[in-house]
Every structure is written in C-alpha cells, then in structure tokens.
Amino acid sequence: MSISVDLPVRHRVDGAGARPSGPRDGSAGSPRGSHFQTDIEGLRAFAVFAVVAFHASVPGLTGGFAGVDVFFVISGYLITGQLTREVLRTGRIGLLSFWARRAKRLLPAAGIVLVAVGIASAVLEPLLGVYHSAQDLLAAALYTTNWHFISLGTDYLAQSTDDSPVLHFWSLAVEEQFYLVWPLVILVAWLVARKNPLRGTVLLATVIGTITLASLAASVLLTTSEPKWAYMATQTRAWEFGVGGLLAITAHALQSAEGTRAGAILGRIVGWGGLWAIGISAVAYDAKTPFPGYAALLPVLGTAAVIAGGLLAGTRGGTVGSLLSLPPVRYIGRVSYAWYLWHWPVLIFTEMVTGTLPWPIRCLLMVAAFGLAALTQRFVEQPVGRALVSIKRVGPTVAIGLLCMVVTVTTPLVIGGTAVTALGSSTAKVSSAALTAAFGPDTGKNAGPVSPSPLQAASDIPKPTACILDAPVARVAACELGSKTGTPVAVFGDSHVNQWLPAFETMASENDWHLTVFAKSGCPVAAYKPNGDGSRMSSSTCLTWRQAAIDMIVSTVKPSLIIVSSYDNYIDGSTKAGSTKILNAWNSSLDQLRRVGSPIAYIQDTPYPDKDVPTCMSAALDDWSSCSFARGDVKEPVEEQALLGNEKQVSLINLTPYLCDTARCPAVRNGLLLYRDESHITASAASALEPAMSQLFEKAGLIHPSK
C-alpha cells in the first residue's frame, strides 16, 4: 500500500531559501502547480529582519531571536513536502541526491563566510582568541556547532561563547541535522505504510505528530532546568520542524479551498493573525523570557498560520501573501540565508576593535552585512546553483560539497595549529620556591613568558575536580580531603570557594584537618529565592543541594570550623532593597550554620577582571600591565556587617590586598598568571597564596600559629 499524501506541486521553494526555476509570478491567476509560494520567500525576509534587528539591539525588538523559529517551521514545511512528493512519484527517496542538493545550496556561501571569519580571527584576535575561534570554526564546518556550544555552556570552567563570531551557526547546525534525519523518517513511514492498512497520510501524520509532541514536551521541561540545552539542542527544536511538516501533509486540503469566498476570508484572517503573532513575539519577548518552551508556540504557530493563509487565500490583494510577495520583500528573503551568515561576524569583529557600539551604528553594520550578502548571493550562490542545475549527475554536486567541507575544515586547523605553536612558546617554568615567592616583593619584571601559559590557564583548576558539582546535580556528594582522623572542617560554597582548594589542602596538612568540601557551580551560599530566569541559582537543583548540604554540615559533619565563600554578584546590591535582599539571603544560610556553634571563616571573593585574562595575556606577553584592571573594592552587605562585628561567629578573610595594589589589580605577579578566566584565580595562584591565607586565619584566631 502506498502513502496517499496528495501535496501540491506549487511549493517548490528550496528548503534553504534558494529560488527555483519556473515562473516568478506568484499571483493567484497563475496555473496551479506551475509556480512556487512567493509568500514564503517574503516570510523569510521578516524572519531574518527580526534576527538582525535583535542582534543590532534595535529598541523594541527584544524578541527578534524568534525569527529563527520562523526559519525552522518553513524548513519543516518545505522539506516534508519535497520528500513526500518524491516518494509518491518514484516510490523511493534519493537520499544522496537530496543531501547533495542541500550541500549545493548551503555549503558554498557558508564556506566563504567561514574562511573569511578564519582570516579575520587570525588578524584581529589575540592568540588565545584565535585558538578558541578555531575550535568554534571547526564545529561550524562540521555542522555540530549547537552541541559544541552546549558543551561549553554546560562546562562552567569553559570560555565564554558570547563573542564567538560563529555563534549563530548553531541554528544552521540544527537545520543540517534535521536534513540528515528527516528523509529517513519519511522513508521509514513509507516502508511501513506499504504493509499497513492505515492510509499513508494518517500514518505519516501520526509519526510526525508523535515526534513533534515528544520534542515539545522535552523543550518545555528543559527550558526551566537546562535553558542552554533547550535552546540549542536538536531534540528540543525538532517540534518546530514537525509543525511545518504537519502543515505540509495537510496542504492539499487547505489549498483546495483557494478560490472560494470562505477560503479567501479565512485565509486573510489566519494569515494576518499569524503575522501579528510573529510580530508580538518579536516585541514582547526578551532575554528574560523562558525560551523556547511554551513561549515558542507563538512564533511557531504564527508562522504556520501565515503559510496556511497563503494556501487558503493565495496572494490576492488584501492578503498577507500580497505583502510578502512584494518584489523588495521577496529579494530580502532571497538573500536572507547569506545575510544571516554575514551579519553576526561583521558585528563581532567590528566591536572587537571598537568596543560596544550604540544601536544606530550597529544598524549600519547590518546594512554593510546585507551588502556582503547580496554579493555572495549574486556571485556565489547563483553561479554555483546554475552550474549544478545543468549537470544531471549527483557526483559533481557531491564533489562541490566535499571541496567546501575540506576548505572550511582546513582553515581552523591551520589557524588553530599556528596559535597553539605560538602559545607554546609563552610558557615559563616556575619552581616551587618561585611559586611561593610570587606574592613576595615585586621584581619589577613586566614582560616575558608566564606560568601557567594563557593556553594552559583554563585547565589550571583545583584537583580533584570531583570536589565541584555541576548544575544538574542536586544530590550532595561531599568531597573528603586531608587527615581522616583530623579536626573536622567544612568548606561550603560555589566555584569561588572551590578555587581555594589548593590552599585548603596545604592548610589541612599543616593543621591536621579533615576537610569535607560541599561545592556546586553557580549555587551560592546565600539562600536566594528563585527568580524564574533560568539562572543556575534559581534552579531547583541548587535549592535542593544547598539545603541538603547545610543539613549534612550541621547534623553529620559537625565541623570545628566552617569556611564559606561565593561569587558576590548574583544579585544587584547597588540599591537598598537589593542590599537588604542579599543580607537576608546570606543570614538565612548562616543562621543555620551557626547552630553548629563553631566559627565561620567568610572568604571575601576575589576581584573580578573586566576581561578574560588569559585571552588578554596571549596578546600582552610583552607588556603584562596592559591586562591589569581597576580594583573596585565593593563589599557585600554581609561582609560590611562582619567588619562591624554584627555577624556572630563570622570572621572576614580578605586576600584582595595580596592580589591588588592600591588602585589596580595585575594579571600577572612575578611571572605567575593569576586568573584563569573572567572571575576565577588559577590553582597556581591559590597555592601561592596559602601562606597569606594561613596568616589571616591565625590573626582571626581560627588556627593556632605555625610552629
């Protein structure tokens, strides 16, 4: 039995936005089956404009990121229609031919942009930035960018991804993965339908509907618990393609109403309503909106409504299709793919040189990116497309795709390898004695190799790494160090207490401590109430872990000393209300810890650089001072209260004077690189600061003087 999905031939727009051969006229008077749906080409213009305006920080378009969802629905609609027509016509799906067409459409323009990004990175970025960009470029070339950035986002110790010039390739990776899997889904449904009494339409709708619902459920669940995963993972975005696919297999029923009065009226209502839904999401959503989850339903269903409106009412005057089919709108849609490719690296590299720009200047940059897109579409996409259309065999298309892949993969390997070689020469060998003396008298040296090198800094982290739990972990998994029979000491906090582990271990050895470490990334000691913003501190795992850790410290460990520390910028404390909120949250936890009856050592957090220090240092080995930053001694309210003696049992341990001078904080002291990123000190720096920390503990009466 065959699949009896009856789809119109008219929807012959290429899945990635290419303009197919055939009549250009999208008017309702064109013969049925002889033209493609011009309103989809125009809809792409609205989608790309929303994304570009969002990245340009245009006021009022804070939800422009929803334009990506519009693209996903369009792709699901077009590709499902194309594949289903093929299986109806031939009884099979030419997988190699399908993937070759995708390669022909996507890879040449993407290859040009990726090579340009590689060259710009090598010229404009510091060595460590080149190394990181090379990793990002390699993922982009292999269309695994979304998983690459998810791994960096879920790794609390990884570099920031916000300024990656290919961050926007995550959505292209999701589309490519969809193109890889979706033909197999259609093909399996076809094979099953041949032996199934159900009509193929019902079976295919059931398969796509099941995938769509499962993906939507995963998206909703993960948007609150793992927002980065929900935003970029293929599984949590598949439902958006699925909505387009479901629309495709019902397209004939909708299109059969075209030409009727009822169809025209309904098409106008549905089409304009869909465009309004997309517009509302673009202006009403912002960075605080939990997305995708339920919120993505508005732009996704809005897109489906616009397409359905076109099927019902065509592009007659007064329909949304008539607006979307205007020649200027269609032209923007035609170059939307190239514009999307160019706009982000143009912005990132310009601001890398100039610093953050106001939104009107960013808009001018987007116009420049549009110029590059128009040139790319005219001199790359069109010629390659025409050349390969005239070739009937799949082989040449595959060859072009492979060539593009080779070039785009080679580029990051070359620039990344060059950066690694250069960074390898920036490592200084520091002896144990020199490490201990790093915070002694300043030698005055201000240039040369450093230890750890900028390339090694990110991995210069406390060991064992099992002592710090990551975001998804709610259970308490205490890490025990030092003497098994020694004085019990509890260490409690986030990664900013864990960064001192090398110093604590030495102190444990010298003072016969049995350390029990309770540390979780992004989860502060202070009992902040969830903000519902998707941040780690607001997650249920943080709340569960914090209380369980406190209960274990109080009832099981019963330490003679409690050491606490946290990142102190979780909450804005610049206002009186914010300051009160911080103090109350801290005391909510401290009051429970005070029940042990033991002293509490509060380690004031280290100063925060205004830059990623290793990246800065990779371009400043000839002048370390260029990576220094303002000291900015701002204390949390609990620290101020501790200094006033209003925090019972709490002693403040402040190591900032060792890290900073009166006004500024160096990135390097006597050849020792102090920071591994934008807020954590290196494990080497923590080890070198142990004598200073011990002295402060002695001064506070928390340990006995060394013999």
Side-chain angles (χ1 to χ4, degrees), residues 359-656:
W359 72 266
I361 304 299
R362 283 185 159 204
C363 288
L364 292 178
L365 292 176
M366 297 301 100
V367 173
F370 184 83
L372 291 173
L375 292 173
T376 302
Q377 199 265 346
R378 173 66 180 82
F379 295 107
V380 178
E381 294 182 79
Q382 285 186 3
V384 171
R386 279 196 295 263
L388 292 177
V389 163
S390 63
I391 301 173
K392 304 301 181 185
R393 293 176 299 165
V394 173
T397 302
V398 174
I400 290 290
L402 289 175
L403 178 61
C404 291
M405 290 287 289
V406 168
V407 171
T408 53
V409 167
T410 301
T411 299
L413 292 178
V414 170
I415 67 169
T418 303
V420 168
T421 301
L423 286 167
S425 64
S426 66
T427 305
K429 293 183 179 179
V430 180
S431 65
S432 299
L435 188 64
T436 304
F439 288 93
D442 191 344
T443 62
K445 186 178 180 182
N446 198 40
V450 296
S451 179
S453 74
L455 184 60
Q456 297 168 332
S459 58
D460 191 31
I461 59 178
K463 304 294 192 302
T465 56
C467 285
I468 181 77
L469 303 180
D470 203 6
V473 181
R475 61 183 174 82
V476 175
C479 176
E480 298 186 42
L481 304 170
S483 170
K484 294 293 183 182
T485 59
T487 303
V489 174
V491 175
F492 177 42
D494 58 13
S495 61
H496 283 242
V497 79
N498 188 73
Q499 70 181 347
W500 293 108
L501 208 57
F504 295 152
E505 283 200 273
T506 302
M507 292 171 68
S509 175
E510 294 175 348
N511 296 280
D512 191 33
W513 285 352
H514 175 65
L515 285 176
T516 306
V517 181
F518 300 88
K520 178 175 167 64
S521 294
C523 191
V525 172
Y528 295 119
K529 294 181 180 178
N531 292 333
D533 58 0
S535 64
R536 293 177 180 227
M537 57 163 280
S538 292
S539 72
S540 59
T541 58
C542 179
L543 301 180
T544 302
W545 174 86
R546 180 195 297 115
Q547 190 57 55
I550 291 175
D551 291 343
M552 188 174 289
I553 291 171
V554 173
S555 61
T556 304
V557 179
K558 298 178 181 177
S560 299
L561 172 65
I562 303 171
I563 302 173
V564 299
S565 187
S566 282
Y567 175 73
D568 64 14
N569 276 351
Y570 284 105
I571 297 291
D572 180 11
S574 59
T575 65
K576 184 177 181 180
S579 178
T580 301
K581 184 177 181 180
I582 293 171
L583 186 60
N584 290 340
W586 263 100
N587 278 315
S588 176
S589 295
L590 290 176
D591 285 346
Q592 295 183 71
L593 295 173
R594 277 188 265 256
R595 297 206 313 261
V596 178
S598 300
I600 300 171
Y602 180 114
I603 300 181
Q604 184 175 323
D605 202 11
T606 49
Y608 306 136
D610 54 0
K611 57 182 73 70
D612 181 80
V613 170
T615 300
C616 179
M617 282 302 304
S618 69
L621 295 173
D622 58 343
D623 181 12
W624 299 343
S625 64
S626 62
C627 294
S628 65
F629 56 95
R631 175 167 171 161
D633 263 343
V634 178
K635 293 182 174 62
E636 279 200 327
V638 68
E639 297 167 5
E640 296 174 342
Q641 292 300 313
L643 287 173
L644 293 172
N646 296 332
E647 288 291 343
K648 184 182 177 183
Q649 300 170 230
V650 175
S651 297
L652 186 64
I653 306 298
N654 182 14
L655 287 146
T656 299

